[in-house]
Amino acid sequence: MKPLLQLKNVRKDIGKKTIIHDLSLEVFAGEVFGFLGPNGAGKTTTIRMIVGLMGMTSGEVLINGISIKKDFEKAIQHVGAIVENPEMYKFLTGYQNLLHYARMAKGVTKERIDEVVKLVGLEKRIHDKVKTYSLGMRQRLGLAQALLHKPSLLILDEPTNGLDPAGIREIRDYLRKLAKQEGLAVIVSSHLLSEMEMMCDRFAIIQHGRLVGIESVQELSKQAQKVLITVEPVEQALSIIKRAYSSINMKPTNQGIEVSIDYEEIPRLNAMLVSEHVKVYGIQTMTKSLEERFLEMTGGNEIA
Ligand SMILES: Nc1ncnc2c1ncn2[C@@H]1O[C@H](COP(=O)(O)OP(=O)(O)OP(=O)(O)O)[C@@H](O)[C@H]1O
Ligand SMILES: [Mg+2]
């Protein structure tokens, strides 16, 4: 498969300081890809270089195979982005704002505007003035604007910043839908590991402007993990598990039983408990393994 975005040894020096060190990575159609790193790691700087808001000192960025150095106009045609706060006209309605952007882009029809408004779930409020919008509604309008010209690469710097839990979830589900159903490549940045894990297929860990590693969430979730089982009676469940897995690591807690087990073993464990008439109220995988892995990779706890 051909990558939609390629970074080749991208470097940024400001004054005597190197902000980004020879960053190379590839992002493919249909995936949500994350930039994960603590404050000041270089996420926004990298995004600014990709969309041409900042020049690079050396290296190359290819979008759909087209170099942004050689043919910026053509390369950027494929990109929709929200970097920092999108500029909106507060005294115009959401719809008027979109109309305004549609006039600047080529070939955006009224039908496309309606389609995008529906896509981001703003139908009910689109004819209200932007100054009456909540932060989440503004984020959605920003997203609608970024999507108007049907980009194949969508780049969002901290898209869930300032959103409530319901809003975060909605944006997350929506971005995943765009990637899976429309085949877009979506890039998001965040300093939250838990968010990356829920939103992304893969993510790059960036620290002090360097790429520390690239992780696939699916691979991670298949590794042995801590599982919390809520069962009754607890004692009976403990002895069943001990019998089946002699050297297993487990301990009863207030909420249930914590077990470290291979992902593939979870259904078997469940079937075993049920067949011996233990009531299973819940099996919940805990995200710790990813966090532990992260600390392992970065060799510290510098993430915010
Ligand atoms: N114009 C500039 N001049 C000097 N230093 C800069 C400039 N822009 C960014 N930096 C520095 O580059 C580093 C990376 O900044 P960047 O904004 O890319 O971080 P970030 O990963 O987006 O952080 P955050 O999570 O806080 O948004 C920081 O040390 C920052 O101080
Ligand atoms: Mg930033």
Side-chain angles (χ1 to χ4, degrees):
M1 208 172 25
K2 211 178 86 188
L4 249 177
L5 173 71
Q6 280 172 284
L7 265 59
K8 293 182 177 172
N9 299 314
V10 171
R11 180 189 186 92
K12 180 70 187 180
D13 297 337
I14 296 182
K16 282 189 183 135
K17 216 172 133 201
T18 301
I19 310 270
I20 301 295
H21 300 258
D22 300 322
L23 192 63
S24 297
L25 50 85
E26 296 185 338
V27 181
F28 296 89
E31 74 173 340
V32 180
F33 189 94
F35 288 166
L36 172 68
N39 294 136
K43 305 178 295 291
T44 301
T45 304
T46 305
I47 290 175
R48 289 173 68 90
M49 287 191 283
I50 298 172
V51 299
L53 286 170
M54 190 187 246
M56 51 194 136
T57 305
S58 60
E60 182 66 289
V61 172
L62 304 177
I63 300 170
N64 238 339
I66 304 163
S67 157
I68 65 166
K69 276 184 181 166
K70 294 196 185 106
D71 196 346
F72 181 75
E73 293 262 309
K74 200 168 166 213
I76 208 72
Q77 267 177 19
H78 302 281
V79 180
I82 308 181
V83 188
E84 280 132 22
N85 288 328
E87 280 298 312
M88 295 291 171
Y89 297 98
K90 292 199 174 78
F91 292 94
L92 298 181
T93 67
Y95 191 83
Q96 288 166 332
N97 268 281
L98 291 181
L99 261 184
H100 175 73
Y101 285 104
R103 280 191 212 109
M104 296 194 294
K106 257 186 248 145
V108 178
T109 60
K110 290 240 164 72
E111 288 73 30
R112 177 61 185 166
I113 298 181
D114 293 340
E115 195 178 293
V116 166
V117 168
K118 218 169 137 190
L119 226 56
V120 299
L122 262 185
E123 300 105 305
K124 281 193 192 138
R125 299 293 304 270
I126 197 66
H127 294 293
D128 293 349
K129 287 191 172 141
V130 170
K131 66 172 180 165
T132 70
Y133 283 12
S134 70
L135 182 58
M137 291 173 199
R138 280 177 212 191
Q139 299 270 49
R140 286 161 199 251
L141 186 61
L143 198 54
Q145 178 204 312
L147 287 168
L148 267 183
H149 63 294
K150 295 193 179 171
S152 45
L153 175 63
L154 183 64
I155 305 178
L156 310 171
D157 194 15
E158 311 259 0
T160 57
N161 210 358
L163 294 185
D164 59 22
I168 290 175
R169 191 187 170 144
E170 230 172 287
I171 291 284
R172 196 169 71 212
D173 291 349
Y174 177 63
L175 293 179
R176 293 203 60 79
K177 192 172 97 183
L178 274 178
K180 303 302 150 195
Q181 292 177 10
E182 319 266 320
L184 262 76
V186 181
I187 295 177
V188 291
S189 74
S190 171
H191 56 273
L192 296 176
L193 182 60
S194 54
E195 186 165 284
M196 289 283 104
E197 197 188 7
M198 287 189 278
M199 189 149 53
C200 301
D201 299 295
R202 295 192 302 142
F203 58 87
I205 299 170
I206 300 171
Q207 202 183 24
H208 303 309
R210 291 178 202 273
L211 181 67
V212 178
I214 292 183
E215 289 287 336
S216 148
V217 172
Q218 206 196 356
E219 288 303 308
L220 279 169
S221 67
K222 278 190 182 152
Q223 289 171 1
Q225 36 190 291
K226 283 206 182 97
V227 179
L228 180 69
I229 323 176
T230 319
V231 283
E232 225 180 70
V234 172
E235 285 306 320
Q236 193 193 345
L238 283 170
S239 68
I240 294 171
I241 300 171
K242 214 170 264 165
R243 203 174 59 210
Y245 306 92
S246 50
S247 61
I248 198 164
N249 207 346
M250 71 174 164
K251 63 167 195 258
T253 69
N254 286 343
Q255 293 92 34
I257 304 173
E258 253 183 52
V259 191
S260 288
I261 193 170
D262 277 352
Y263 183 72
E264 307 293 338
E265 281 294 316
I266 298 173
R268 199 163 84 92
L269 177 66
N270 179 44
M272 212 150 49
L273 293 170
V274 172
S275 74
E276 302 215 26
H277 307 291
V278 172
K279 290 181 192 147
V280 180
Y281 292 99
I283 298 182
Q284 194 186 343
T285 54
M286 293 152 83
T287 53
K288 278 214 184 96
S289 64
L290 180 53
E291 195 154 332
E292 279 156 10
R293 178 113 180 82
F294 177 78
L295 291 177
E296 219 175 85
M297 291 183 83
T298 55
N301 57 356
E302 260 185 87
I303 194 144

